[in-house]
Amino acid sequence: MADDVHPMIAARLDDDGQRYTSGRRKLVEVLVDAGRPLTAAEVLDESDLAQSSAYRNLAVLEACGVVHRVAGSDEFARFELAEDLTDHHHHHLICTSCGSVTDFTASEQLEQLVEALAGEVAATAGFTADHHRLDLFGRCSACHSAAHER
């Protein structure tokens, strides 16, 4: 999949007056390889880029709609490729204990139900929704087990 996204990302950056530099490409590859949202520190560890360069390029990629920020339950934002680039609609399980963020894909039946409910809520408020995202907050299995062992 990584090779498939590069032309789309280059075009998106070009439309915004930005270049698809080797550093930005490296950040994209780190996010593709991870398969889950990563904190900026995790991206930095995997990319071997200078800290200032990694943070600056993440900001550019986010501003251009290449990268999406996932707000967790801790002070660390996570980053992942925008869904429209990956064609993989998914949601997040966010641990309120350790802050981990895990992707999950809902069944088609659940997606249809969420879409219908979101449409009802939006219509009630006179709002037109373009898409939805479902984030579930709770405890991951490791934190849940640790809490029960205490």
Side-chain angles (χ1 to χ4, degrees):
M1 179 197 57
D3 292 336
D4 300 333
V5 298
H6 293 299
M8 293 184 293
I9 292 170
R12 187 168 292 180
L13 287 166
D14 188 56
D15 288 347
D16 210 41
Q18 298 288 337
R19 292 181 325 128
Y20 196 23
T21 63
S22 61
R24 292 172 185 165
R25 185 180 183 99
K26 178 65 177 172
L27 291 176
V28 166
E29 289 172 354
V30 164
L31 292 172
V32 167
D33 291 344
R36 66 177 177 82
L38 297 177
T39 64
E42 290 172 320
V43 171
L44 189 60
D45 288 344
E46 295 296 321
S47 69
D48 297 325
L49 294 173
Q51 183 174 353
S52 61
S53 177
Y55 281 94
R56 184 176 57 254
N57 284 316
L58 275 173
V60 168
L61 292 171
E62 183 180 12
C64 292
V66 172
V67 169
H68 173 75
R69 182 184 297 252
V70 178
S73 65
D74 56 14
E75 68 272 16
F76 303 108
R78 271 89 176 157
F79 298 90
E80 65 184 2
L81 288 184
E83 277 189 5
D84 64 322
L85 293 170
T86 64
D87 290 328
H88 176 69
H89 179 66
H90 65 279
H91 304 286
H92 302 106
L93 301 171
I94 301 171
C95 182
T96 55
S97 293
C98 69
S100 68
V101 178
T102 305
D103 292 346
F104 77 93
T105 302
S107 68
E108 186 61 35
Q109 182 181 10
L110 179 57
E111 282 296 340
Q112 290 173 355
L113 182 59
V114 169
E115 278 290 325
L117 291 172
E120 286 180 33
V121 169
T124 301
F127 184 81
T128 302
D130 295 325
H131 62 277
H132 71 271
R133 186 177 80 202
L134 178 62
D135 293 338
L136 299 178
F137 292 84
R139 284 183 288 174
C140 67
S141 59
C143 291
H144 181 77
S145 295
H148 281 349
E149 289 175 7
R150 287 185 216 145

